[in-house]
């Protein structure tokens, strides 16, 4: 079983749609969680951290369910510029060191 | 002024050759990483260094040898290149490897080095 699993997509949605991505992780000792975004042929960049109580950043909402080892990302009012691959990232580090494990990513294509 | 810079950006070479990729960060970070992204876009951690010390070595073949001359540089040397080594190699840095708080989870990636082995 992969350490971080995501639906690869692609998700093809019209502008203005709401879309949700899910992610599960296998290491119950994981401490911190993130969503990264990667544009085609570019490097990944941090989109947002995921806090235990859930958090929102503009049109983006992230949720964490530790009991189910499940993370989600909701994008409201999709824009063309949201088209990218969204990477679920889990920090499985121990002994005081970070070890960020990336999911394979979910591709989003927003069309006019 | 690029925060994490890698050279070369593209590398095409023959099987069996030896090649190096260099990485430098000017963010003052303590920790640097190498990740490999294969043709299926799966981004996999290879190594991490904290202040020049090797912290993570993810069962990478010993043909891959990272070197960190100082905390701002992490180079990757690959011996006897194989077809399966073709991938994009990303260097990254983070503020600190110590601590698991949400704020230390931000990795700053270089633009990647696309290696093609023929």
């Amino acid at each position: 079983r992969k350490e971080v699993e995501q639906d690869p997509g692609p998700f093809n949605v019209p502008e203005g749609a709401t879309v949700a991505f899910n992610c599960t992780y296998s290491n119950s000792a994981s401490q911190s969680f993130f969503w990264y975004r990667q544009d085609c042929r570019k490097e990944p960049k941090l989109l947002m951290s995921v806090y235990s109580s859930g958090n929102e950043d503009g049109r983006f909402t992230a949720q964490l369910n530790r009991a189910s080892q499940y993370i989600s990302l909701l994008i409201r009012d999709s824009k063309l510029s949201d088209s990218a691959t969204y990477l679920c990232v889990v920090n499985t580090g121990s002994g005081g060191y970070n070890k960020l494990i990336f999911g394979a990513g979910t591709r989003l294509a927003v069309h006019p | 002024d690029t925060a994490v810079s890698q050279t070369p950006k593209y590398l095409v070479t023959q099987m069996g050759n030896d090649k190096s990729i260099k990485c430098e960060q000017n963010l003052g970070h303590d920790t640097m990483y190498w990740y490999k992204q294969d043709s299926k876009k799966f981004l996999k951690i290879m190594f991490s260094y904290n202040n020049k010390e090797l912290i993570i070595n993810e069962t990478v073949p010993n043909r891959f040898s990272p070197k960190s001359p100082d905390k701002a540089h992490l180079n990757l040397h690959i011996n006897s290149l194989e077809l399966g080594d073709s991938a994009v190699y990303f260097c990254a840095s983070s503020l600190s490897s110590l601590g698991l708080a949400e704020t230390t989870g931000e990795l700053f990636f270089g633009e990647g080095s696309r290696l093609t082995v023929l």
Side-chain angles (χ1 to χ4, degrees), chain B residues 19-85:
Chain B
K19 290 294 177 188
S20 292
I21 307 172
K22 295 186 176 182
C23 179
E24 175 181 5
Q25 55 96 1
N26 62 8
L27 297 167
H29 287 167
D30 298 319
T31 310
M32 295 185 73
Y33 310 79
W34 279 109
Y35 278 81
K36 177 181 179 181
Q37 189 166 43
D38 60 26
S39 56
K40 294 182 181 174
K41 308 300 181 191
F42 186 52
L43 198 64
K44 186 171 168 53
I45 189 167
M46 299 173 69
F47 301 103
S48 104
Y49 272 73
N50 186 66
N51 212 2
K52 302 192 296 176
E53 282 192 46
L54 179 66
I55 302 299
I56 293 173
N57 181 344
E58 278 293 291
T59 59
V60 176
N62 58 15
R63 298 183 295 104
F64 290 78
S65 50
K67 287 225 171 17
S68 182
D70 54 62
K71 74 174 194 177
H73 295 84
L74 180 61
N75 304 322
L76 183 66
H77 187 75
I78 315 170
N79 289 326
S80 304
L81 279 156
E82 300 177 357
L83 294 176
D85 298 332

Side-chain angles (χ1 to χ4, degrees), chain A residues 31-79:
Chain A
Q31 295 291 321
S32 52
F33 310 89
F34 311 89
W35 284 100
Y36 276 67
R37 168 190 169 135
Q38 186 172 24
D39 292 305
C40 189
R41 300 181 79 86
K42 296 284 190 181
E43 72 274 22
K45 292 184 179 176
L46 178 68
L47 178 67
M48 59 195 299
S49 299
V50 185
Y51 300 122
S52 297
S53 53
N55 49 299
E56 192 173 300
D57 183 0
R59 298 181 293 109
F60 298 84
T61 301
Q63 297 277 353
L64 169 64
N65 183 324
R66 284 185 186 269
S68 303
Q69 295 178 207
Y70 170 93
I71 306 161
S72 66
L73 176 68
L74 184 77
I75 306 176
R76 289 182 300 278
D77 189 23
S78 299
K79 311 287 183 198

